Amino acid sequence: MVSEEIGYIKSQIISRIINNQEILNLINKDMVDNPNDYIDTHIFKYVKVPPTIETETTYLCVEIYIPTDHTEDLTKQMIVEIHILAHCKIQNIKGLDGTRPDEISGLIEKILSKDNEIGLRKLLMISNTPNAYTTNHYGRTMRFIAEGFNRDACL
């Protein structure tokens, strides 16, 4: 079943993210002592928008979409969506060309394309687009397609 894998795939992606020191520094360099502290404070398994437009922080959110029913198909697909959003006051980083979400998205792409297998699924980035989440929170939405063998179709 595809839906049964959603939580596992989210956990695998988040694990790769929190094990990358560069990403953690870009999210919040003051918290780097324990990478697990980022989970549910800055990195979420659902799309979270800051509670107020004044919240000056960076969030990373992972969500999964299943585009079609795969009951009879030999392969099955999921869309992995990663939202990176940061307050407009902390967008620019001295010494870097891109905004904070630009730089984080570049690192995520490297991680997921280098080690592009999550479970039995290969990840392929299909888009990386800008997004305005609130009037003060700008970011990027990355979409990956994850395709794998559908064991259920062979039963």
Side-chain angles (χ1 to χ4, degrees), residues 44-74:
F44 300 90
K45 291 182 180 182
Y46 56 92
V47 179
K48 178 171 176 67
V49 177
T52 67
I53 60 172
E54 289 81 25
T55 305
E56 293 181 23
T57 192
T58 301
Y59 283 167
L60 220 125
C61 311
V62 179
E63 194 51 86
I64 304 282
Y65 299 93
I66 302 169
T68 60
D69 175 23
H70 297 287
T71 310
E72 305 291 323
D73 299 338
L74 289 177

PDB file of all heavy atoms in Angstrom, residues 44-74:
ATOM      1  N   PHE A  44       8.856  20.170  10.287  1.00  0.00           N
ATOM      2  CA  PHE A  44       7.553  19.569  10.574  1.00  0.00           C
ATOM      3  C   PHE A  44       7.180  18.518   9.542  1.00  0.00           C
ATOM      4  O   PHE A  44       7.565  18.612   8.387  1.00  0.00           O
ATOM      5  CB  PHE A  44       6.466  20.661  10.588  1.00  0.00           C
ATOM      6  CG  PHE A  44       6.716  21.714  11.626  1.00  0.00           C
ATOM      7  CD1 PHE A  44       7.462  22.843  11.320  1.00  0.00           C
ATOM      8  CD2 PHE A  44       6.217  21.561  12.907  1.00  0.00           C
ATOM      9  CE1 PHE A  44       7.701  23.815  12.273  1.00  0.00           C
ATOM     10  CE2 PHE A  44       6.456  22.537  13.869  1.00  0.00           C
ATOM     11  CZ  PHE A  44       7.202  23.658  13.558  1.00  0.00           C
ATOM     12  N   LYS A  45       6.370  17.549   9.973  1.00  0.00           N
ATOM     13  CA  LYS A  45       5.842  16.505   9.082  1.00  0.00           C
ATOM     14  C   LYS A  45       4.500  16.936   8.487  1.00  0.00           C
ATOM     15  O   LYS A  45       3.724  16.103   8.041  1.00  0.00           O
ATOM     16  CB  LYS A  45       5.649  15.191   9.842  1.00  0.00           C
ATOM     17  CG  LYS A  45       6.936  14.537  10.256  1.00  0.00           C
ATOM     18  CD  LYS A  45       6.647  13.223  10.956  1.00  0.00           C
ATOM     19  CE  LYS A  45       7.923  12.542  11.384  1.00  0.00           C
ATOM     20  NZ  LYS A  45       7.670  11.256  12.028  1.00  0.00           N
ATOM     21  N   TYR A  46       4.238  18.203   8.497  1.00  0.00           N
ATOM     22  CA  TYR A  46       3.023  18.776   7.919  1.00  0.00           C
ATOM     23  C   TYR A  46       3.344  20.224   7.569  1.00  0.00           C
ATOM     24  O   TYR A  46       4.357  20.768   8.018  1.00  0.00           O
ATOM     25  CB  TYR A  46       1.839  18.686   8.890  1.00  0.00           C
ATOM     26  CG  TYR A  46       2.109  19.330  10.229  1.00  0.00           C
ATOM     27  CD1 TYR A  46       1.781  20.671  10.457  1.00  0.00           C
ATOM     28  CD2 TYR A  46       2.695  18.613  11.269  1.00  0.00           C
ATOM     29  CE1 TYR A  46       2.045  21.280  11.685  1.00  0.00           C
ATOM     30  CE2 TYR A  46       2.956  19.206  12.495  1.00  0.00           C
ATOM     31  CZ  TYR A  46       2.629  20.538  12.693  1.00  0.00           C
ATOM     32  OH  TYR A  46       2.880  21.123  13.902  1.00  0.00           O
ATOM     33  N   VAL A  47       2.489  20.842   6.780  1.00  0.00           N
ATOM     34  CA  VAL A  47       2.733  22.234   6.391  1.00  0.00           C
ATOM     35  C   VAL A  47       2.318  23.136   7.533  1.00  0.00           C
ATOM     36  O   VAL A  47       1.162  23.138   7.954  1.00  0.00           O
ATOM     37  CB  VAL A  47       1.972  22.597   5.099  1.00  0.00           C
ATOM     38  CG1 VAL A  47       2.221  24.050   4.730  1.00  0.00           C
ATOM     39  CG2 VAL A  47       2.406  21.681   3.963  1.00  0.00           C
ATOM     40  N   LYS A  48       3.277  23.869   8.068  1.00  0.00           N
ATOM     41  CA  LYS A  48       3.021  24.787   9.181  1.00  0.00           C
ATOM     42  C   LYS A  48       3.409  26.189   8.747  1.00  0.00           C
ATOM     43  O   LYS A  48       4.502  26.404   8.242  1.00  0.00           O
ATOM     44  CB  LYS A  48       3.836  24.387  10.410  1.00  0.00           C
ATOM     45  CG  LYS A  48       3.628  25.344  11.582  1.00  0.00           C
ATOM     46  CD  LYS A  48       4.265  24.802  12.841  1.00  0.00           C
ATOM     47  CE  LYS A  48       4.166  25.754  14.005  1.00  0.00           C
ATOM     48  NZ  LYS A  48       2.835  25.983  14.498  1.00  0.00           N
ATOM     49  N   VAL A  49       2.512  27.104   8.947  1.00  0.00           N
ATOM     50  CA  VAL A  49       2.771  28.515   8.684  1.00  0.00           C
ATOM     51  C   VAL A  49       2.985  29.168  10.049  1.00  0.00           C
ATOM     52  O   VAL A  49       2.283  28.847  11.006  1.00  0.00           O
ATOM     53  CB  VAL A  49       1.589  29.163   7.928  1.00  0.00           C
ATOM     54  CG1 VAL A  49       1.805  30.633   7.715  1.00  0.00           C
ATOM     55  CG2 VAL A  49       1.393  28.457   6.588  1.00  0.00           C
ATOM     56  N   PRO A  50       3.975  30.048  10.178  1.00  0.00           N
ATOM     57  CA  PRO A  50       4.221  30.688  11.475  1.00  0.00           C
ATOM     58  C   PRO A  50       2.935  31.272  12.058  1.00  0.00           C
ATOM     59  O   PRO A  50       2.088  31.788  11.326  1.00  0.00           O
ATOM     60  CB  PRO A  50       5.228  31.785  11.143  1.00  0.00           C
ATOM     61  CG  PRO A  50       5.933  31.276   9.933  1.00  0.00           C
ATOM     62  CD  PRO A  50       4.892  30.514   9.152  1.00  0.00           C
ATOM     63  N   PRO A  51       2.792  31.197  13.391  1.00  0.00           N
ATOM     64  CA  PRO A  51       1.548  31.622  14.035  1.00  0.00           C
ATOM     65  C   PRO A  51       1.219  33.103  13.863  1.00  0.00           C
ATOM     66  O   PRO A  51       0.055  33.482  13.881  1.00  0.00           O
ATOM     67  CB  PRO A  51       1.760  31.280  15.508  1.00  0.00           C
ATOM     68  CG  PRO A  51       3.224  31.074  15.674  1.00  0.00           C
ATOM     69  CD  PRO A  51       3.772  30.691  14.346  1.00  0.00           C
ATOM     70  N   THR A  52       2.223  33.941  13.710  1.00  0.00           N
ATOM     71  CA  THR A  52       1.968  35.359  13.463  1.00  0.00           C
ATOM     72  C   THR A  52       2.869  35.820  12.332  1.00  0.00           C
ATOM     73  O   THR A  52       3.911  35.225  12.069  1.00  0.00           O
ATOM     74  CB  THR A  52       2.266  36.236  14.702  1.00  0.00           C
ATOM     75  OG1 THR A  52       3.668  36.215  14.950  1.00  0.00           O
ATOM     76  CG2 THR A  52       1.505  35.763  15.925  1.00  0.00           C
ATOM     77  N   ILE A  53       2.482  36.892  11.668  1.00  0.00           N
ATOM     78  CA  ILE A  53       3.311  37.384  10.568  1.00  0.00           C
ATOM     79  C   ILE A  53       4.606  38.007  11.065  1.00  0.00           C
ATOM     80  O   ILE A  53       5.527  38.216  10.298  1.00  0.00           O
ATOM     81  CB  ILE A  53       2.543  38.366   9.656  1.00  0.00           C
ATOM     82  CG1 ILE A  53       2.048  39.586  10.427  1.00  0.00           C
ATOM     83  CG2 ILE A  53       1.413  37.680   8.946  1.00  0.00           C
ATOM     84  CD1 ILE A  53       1.445  40.671   9.561  1.00  0.00           C
ATOM     85  N   GLU A  54       4.692  38.249  12.376  1.00  0.00           N
ATOM     86  CA  GLU A  54       5.911  38.826  12.945  1.00  0.00           C
ATOM     87  C   GLU A  54       6.946  37.771  13.330  1.00  0.00           C
ATOM     88  O   GLU A  54       8.084  38.088  13.647  1.00  0.00           O
ATOM     89  CB  GLU A  54       5.595  39.671  14.191  1.00  0.00           C
ATOM     90  CG  GLU A  54       4.871  40.974  13.879  1.00  0.00           C
ATOM     91  CD  GLU A  54       3.374  40.766  13.683  1.00  0.00           C
ATOM     92  OE1 GLU A  54       2.813  39.786  14.216  1.00  0.00           O
ATOM     93  OE2 GLU A  54       2.763  41.579  12.976  1.00  0.00           O
ATOM     94  N   THR A  55       6.566  36.490  13.353  1.00  0.00           N
ATOM     95  CA  THR A  55       7.476  35.431  13.770  1.00  0.00           C
ATOM     96  C   THR A  55       8.683  35.370  12.841  1.00  0.00           C
ATOM     97  O   THR A  55       8.562  35.028  11.676  1.00  0.00           O
ATOM     98  CB  THR A  55       6.750  34.061  13.788  1.00  0.00           C
ATOM     99  OG1 THR A  55       5.591  34.162  14.600  1.00  0.00           O
ATOM    100  CG2 THR A  55       7.656  32.975  14.321  1.00  0.00           C
ATOM    101  N   GLU A  56       9.859  35.717  13.365  1.00  0.00           N
ATOM    102  CA  GLU A  56      11.085  35.753  12.565  1.00  0.00           C
ATOM    103  C   GLU A  56      11.831  34.432  12.718  1.00  0.00           C
ATOM    104  O   GLU A  56      12.729  34.299  13.544  1.00  0.00           O
ATOM    105  CB  GLU A  56      11.969  36.933  13.005  1.00  0.00           C
ATOM    106  CG  GLU A  56      11.366  38.276  12.697  1.00  0.00           C
ATOM    107  CD  GLU A  56      12.257  39.431  13.102  1.00  0.00           C
ATOM    108  OE1 GLU A  56      13.480  39.249  13.211  1.00  0.00           O
ATOM    109  OE2 GLU A  56      11.702  40.532  13.326  1.00  0.00           O
ATOM    110  N   THR A  57      11.432  33.464  11.928  1.00  0.00           N
ATOM    111  CA  THR A  57      12.034  32.141  11.998  1.00  0.00           C
ATOM    112  C   THR A  57      12.044  31.506  10.620  1.00  0.00           C
ATOM    113  O   THR A  57      11.500  32.054   9.661  1.00  0.00           O
ATOM    114  CB  THR A  57      11.286  31.256  13.016  1.00  0.00           C
ATOM    115  OG1 THR A  57      12.054  30.084  13.261  1.00  0.00           O
ATOM    116  CG2 THR A  57       9.907  30.885  12.545  1.00  0.00           C
ATOM    117  N   THR A  58      12.660  30.342  10.540  1.00  0.00           N
ATOM    118  CA  THR A  58      12.684  29.545   9.318  1.00  0.00           C
ATOM    119  C   THR A  58      12.023  28.214   9.621  1.00  0.00           C
ATOM    120  O   THR A  58      12.318  27.591  10.640  1.00  0.00           O
ATOM    121  CB  THR A  58      14.134  29.309   8.851  1.00  0.00           C
ATOM    122  OG1 THR A  58      14.749  30.582   8.632  1.00  0.00           O
ATOM    123  CG2 THR A  58      14.176  28.496   7.578  1.00  0.00           C
ATOM    124  N   TYR A  59      11.113  27.796   8.753  1.00  0.00           N
ATOM    125  CA  TYR A  59      10.424  26.520   8.881  1.00  0.00           C
ATOM    126  C   TYR A  59      10.712  25.674   7.663  1.00  0.00           C
ATOM    127  O   TYR A  59      10.838  26.190   6.546  1.00  0.00           O
ATOM    128  CB  TYR A  59       8.909  26.707   8.964  1.00  0.00           C
ATOM    129  CG  TYR A  59       8.363  27.177  10.282  1.00  0.00           C
ATOM    130  CD1 TYR A  59       7.054  27.622  10.363  1.00  0.00           C
ATOM    131  CD2 TYR A  59       9.109  27.163  11.445  1.00  0.00           C
ATOM    132  CE1 TYR A  59       6.511  28.054  11.563  1.00  0.00           C
ATOM    133  CE2 TYR A  59       8.580  27.590  12.648  1.00  0.00           C
ATOM    134  CZ  TYR A  59       7.282  28.034  12.695  1.00  0.00           C
ATOM    135  OH  TYR A  59       6.749  28.454  13.887  1.00  0.00           O
ATOM    136  N   LEU A  60      10.762  24.385   7.882  1.00  0.00           N
ATOM    137  CA  LEU A  60      10.878  23.410   6.819  1.00  0.00           C
ATOM    138  C   LEU A  60       9.771  22.391   7.033  1.00  0.00           C
ATOM    139  O   LEU A  60       9.641  21.858   8.144  1.00  0.00           O
ATOM    140  CB  LEU A  60      12.235  22.721   6.948  1.00  0.00           C
ATOM    141  CG  LEU A  60      12.940  22.445   5.656  1.00  0.00           C
ATOM    142  CD1 LEU A  60      14.309  23.058   5.715  1.00  0.00           C
ATOM    143  CD2 LEU A  60      13.006  20.981   5.459  1.00  0.00           C
ATOM    144  N   CYS A  61       8.957  22.150   6.035  1.00  0.00           N
ATOM    145  CA  CYS A  61       7.809  21.254   6.178  1.00  0.00           C
ATOM    146  C   CYS A  61       7.841  20.193   5.084  1.00  0.00           C
ATOM    147  O   CYS A  61       8.140  20.499   3.930  1.00  0.00           O
ATOM    148  CB  CYS A  61       6.503  22.033   6.074  1.00  0.00           C
ATOM    149  SG  CYS A  61       6.444  23.509   7.117  1.00  0.00           S
ATOM    150  N   VAL A  62       7.519  18.962   5.447  1.00  0.00           N
ATOM    151  CA  VAL A  62       7.510  17.858   4.493  1.00  0.00           C
ATOM    152  C   VAL A  62       6.091  17.326   4.395  1.00  0.00           C
ATOM    153  O   VAL A  62       5.446  17.051   5.410  1.00  0.00           O
ATOM    154  CB  VAL A  62       8.467  16.723   4.944  1.00  0.00           C
ATOM    155  CG1 VAL A  62       8.429  15.560   3.959  1.00  0.00           C
ATOM    156  CG2 VAL A  62       9.885  17.250   5.106  1.00  0.00           C
ATOM    157  N   GLU A  63       5.614  17.182   3.165  1.00  0.00           N
ATOM    158  CA  GLU A  63       4.277  16.641   2.942  1.00  0.00           C
ATOM    159  C   GLU A  63       4.335  15.658   1.785  1.00  0.00           C
ATOM    160  O   GLU A  63       5.216  15.736   0.932  1.00  0.00           O
ATOM    161  CB  GLU A  63       3.279  17.771   2.653  1.00  0.00           C
ATOM    162  CG  GLU A  63       1.833  17.378   2.728  1.00  0.00           C
ATOM    163  CD  GLU A  63       1.457  16.660   4.018  1.00  0.00           C
ATOM    164  OE1 GLU A  63       1.144  17.330   5.010  1.00  0.00           O
ATOM    165  OE2 GLU A  63       1.478  15.414   4.033  1.00  0.00           O
ATOM    166  N   ILE A  64       3.413  14.711   1.768  1.00  0.00           N
ATOM    167  CA  ILE A  64       3.361  13.666   0.745  1.00  0.00           C
ATOM    168  C   ILE A  64       1.977  13.694   0.096  1.00  0.00           C
ATOM    169  O   ILE A  64       0.963  13.804   0.787  1.00  0.00           O
ATOM    170  CB  ILE A  64       3.579  12.265   1.370  1.00  0.00           C
ATOM    171  CG1 ILE A  64       4.881  12.185   2.148  1.00  0.00           C
ATOM    172  CG2 ILE A  64       3.464  11.174   0.312  1.00  0.00           C
ATOM    173  CD1 ILE A  64       6.127  12.039   1.355  1.00  0.00           C
ATOM    174  N   TYR A  65       1.968  13.572  -1.220  1.00  0.00           N
ATOM    175  CA  TYR A  65       0.718  13.478  -1.978  1.00  0.00           C
ATOM    176  C   TYR A  65       0.744  12.220  -2.817  1.00  0.00           C
ATOM    177  O   TYR A  65       1.791  11.847  -3.351  1.00  0.00           O
ATOM    178  CB  TYR A  65       0.545  14.695  -2.894  1.00  0.00           C
ATOM    179  CG  TYR A  65       0.488  15.987  -2.138  1.00  0.00           C
ATOM    180  CD1 TYR A  65       1.641  16.738  -1.918  1.00  0.00           C
ATOM    181  CD2 TYR A  65      -0.707  16.453  -1.614  1.00  0.00           C
ATOM    182  CE1 TYR A  65       1.604  17.913  -1.200  1.00  0.00           C
ATOM    183  CE2 TYR A  65      -0.754  17.636  -0.891  1.00  0.00           C
ATOM    184  CZ  TYR A  65       0.404  18.362  -0.698  1.00  0.00           C
ATOM    185  OH  TYR A  65       0.366  19.520   0.027  1.00  0.00           O
ATOM    186  N   ILE A  66      -0.389  11.574  -2.933  1.00  0.00           N
ATOM    187  CA  ILE A  66      -0.521  10.396  -3.784  1.00  0.00           C
ATOM    188  C   ILE A  66      -1.407  10.806  -4.953  1.00  0.00           C
ATOM    189  O   ILE A  66      -2.595  11.064  -4.770  1.00  0.00           O
ATOM    190  CB  ILE A  66      -1.126   9.216  -3.002  1.00  0.00           C
ATOM    191  CG1 ILE A  66      -0.236   8.903  -1.797  1.00  0.00           C
ATOM    192  CG2 ILE A  66      -1.295   8.006  -3.911  1.00  0.00           C
ATOM    193  CD1 ILE A  66      -0.834   7.948  -0.810  1.00  0.00           C
ATOM    194  N   PRO A  67      -0.831  10.910  -6.165  1.00  0.00           N
ATOM    195  CA  PRO A  67      -1.593  11.465  -7.289  1.00  0.00           C
ATOM    196  C   PRO A  67      -2.692  10.568  -7.841  1.00  0.00           C
ATOM    197  O   PRO A  67      -3.692  11.066  -8.326  1.00  0.00           O
ATOM    198  CB  PRO A  67      -0.525  11.731  -8.344  1.00  0.00           C
ATOM    199  CG  PRO A  67       0.620  10.865  -7.992  1.00  0.00           C
ATOM    200  CD  PRO A  67       0.550  10.632  -6.514  1.00  0.00           C
ATOM    201  N   THR A  68      -2.544   9.234  -7.787  1.00  0.00           N
ATOM    202  CA  THR A  68      -3.557   8.351  -8.363  1.00  0.00           C
ATOM    203  C   THR A  68      -3.646   7.062  -7.566  1.00  0.00           C
ATOM    204  O   THR A  68      -2.789   6.742  -6.753  1.00  0.00           O
ATOM    205  CB  THR A  68      -3.219   7.970  -9.831  1.00  0.00           C
ATOM    206  OG1 THR A  68      -1.953   7.303  -9.829  1.00  0.00           O
ATOM    207  CG2 THR A  68      -3.172   9.168 -10.736  1.00  0.00           C
ATOM    208  N   ASP A  69      -4.692   6.295  -7.855  1.00  0.00           N
ATOM    209  CA  ASP A  69      -4.845   4.968  -7.273  1.00  0.00           C
ATOM    210  C   ASP A  69      -3.915   4.023  -8.030  1.00  0.00           C
ATOM    211  O   ASP A  69      -3.904   3.996  -9.252  1.00  0.00           O
ATOM    212  CB  ASP A  69      -6.299   4.516  -7.406  1.00  0.00           C
ATOM    213  CG  ASP A  69      -6.499   3.093  -6.924  1.00  0.00           C
ATOM    214  OD1 ASP A  69      -5.684   2.610  -6.115  1.00  0.00           O
ATOM    215  OD2 ASP A  69      -7.473   2.457  -7.366  1.00  0.00           O
ATOM    216  N   HIS A  70      -3.138   3.244  -7.292  1.00  0.00           N
ATOM    217  CA  HIS A  70      -2.145   2.368  -7.923  1.00  0.00           C
ATOM    218  C   HIS A  70      -2.458   0.889  -7.734  1.00  0.00           C
ATOM    219  O   HIS A  70      -1.566   0.052  -7.846  1.00  0.00           O
ATOM    220  CB  HIS A  70      -0.760   2.647  -7.317  1.00  0.00           C
ATOM    221  CG  HIS A  70      -0.270   4.026  -7.551  1.00  0.00           C
ATOM    222  ND1 HIS A  70       0.168   4.463  -8.767  1.00  0.00           N
ATOM    223  CD2 HIS A  70      -0.159   5.080  -6.717  1.00  0.00           C
ATOM    224  CE1 HIS A  70       0.548   5.720  -8.676  1.00  0.00           C
ATOM    225  NE2 HIS A  70       0.349   6.120  -7.442  1.00  0.00           N
ATOM    226  N   THR A  71      -3.677   0.556  -7.485  1.00  0.00           N
ATOM    227  CA  THR A  71      -4.024  -0.814  -7.155  1.00  0.00           C
ATOM    228  C   THR A  71      -3.566  -1.812  -8.216  1.00  0.00           C
ATOM    229  O   THR A  71      -3.023  -2.859  -7.904  1.00  0.00           O
ATOM    230  CB  THR A  71      -5.554  -0.936  -6.950  1.00  0.00           C
ATOM    231  OG1 THR A  71      -5.965   0.088  -6.056  1.00  0.00           O
ATOM    232  CG2 THR A  71      -5.919  -2.284  -6.377  1.00  0.00           C
ATOM    233  N   GLU A  72      -3.762  -1.480  -9.485  1.00  0.00           N
ATOM    234  CA  GLU A  72      -3.451  -2.405 -10.572  1.00  0.00           C
ATOM    235  C   GLU A  72      -2.103  -2.140 -11.234  1.00  0.00           C
ATOM    236  O   GLU A  72      -1.628  -2.946 -12.026  1.00  0.00           O
ATOM    237  CB  GLU A  72      -4.548  -2.322 -11.646  1.00  0.00           C
ATOM    238  CG  GLU A  72      -5.959  -2.551 -11.120  1.00  0.00           C
ATOM    239  CD  GLU A  72      -6.192  -3.974 -10.679  1.00  0.00           C
ATOM    240  OE1 GLU A  72      -5.654  -4.886 -11.341  1.00  0.00           O
ATOM    241  OE2 GLU A  72      -6.895  -4.194  -9.675  1.00  0.00           O
ATOM    242  N   ASP A  73      -1.467  -1.015 -10.958  1.00  0.00           N
ATOM    243  CA  ASP A  73      -0.232  -0.623 -11.637  1.00  0.00           C
ATOM    244  C   ASP A  73       0.974  -1.398 -11.112  1.00  0.00           C
ATOM    245  O   ASP A  73       1.025  -1.754  -9.942  1.00  0.00           O
ATOM    246  CB  ASP A  73       0.036   0.873 -11.452  1.00  0.00           C
ATOM    247  CG  ASP A  73      -1.071   1.740 -12.034  1.00  0.00           C
ATOM    248  OD1 ASP A  73      -1.796   1.255 -12.918  1.00  0.00           O
ATOM    249  OD2 ASP A  73      -1.200   2.891 -11.587  1.00  0.00           O
ATOM    250  N   LEU A  74       1.963  -1.617 -11.987  1.00  0.00           N
ATOM    251  CA  LEU A  74       3.201  -2.275 -11.565  1.00  0.00           C
ATOM    252  C   LEU A  74       4.102  -1.331 -10.782  1.00  0.00           C
ATOM    253  O   LEU A  74       4.940  -1.772 -10.015  1.00  0.00           O
ATOM    254  CB  LEU A  74       3.953  -2.836 -12.770  1.00  0.00           C
ATOM    255  CG  LEU A  74       3.306  -4.055 -13.415  1.00  0.00           C
ATOM    256  CD1 LEU A  74       4.097  -4.482 -14.647  1.00  0.00           C
ATOM    257  CD2 LEU A  74       3.202  -5.209 -12.430  1.00  0.00           C
TER     258      LEU A  74
END
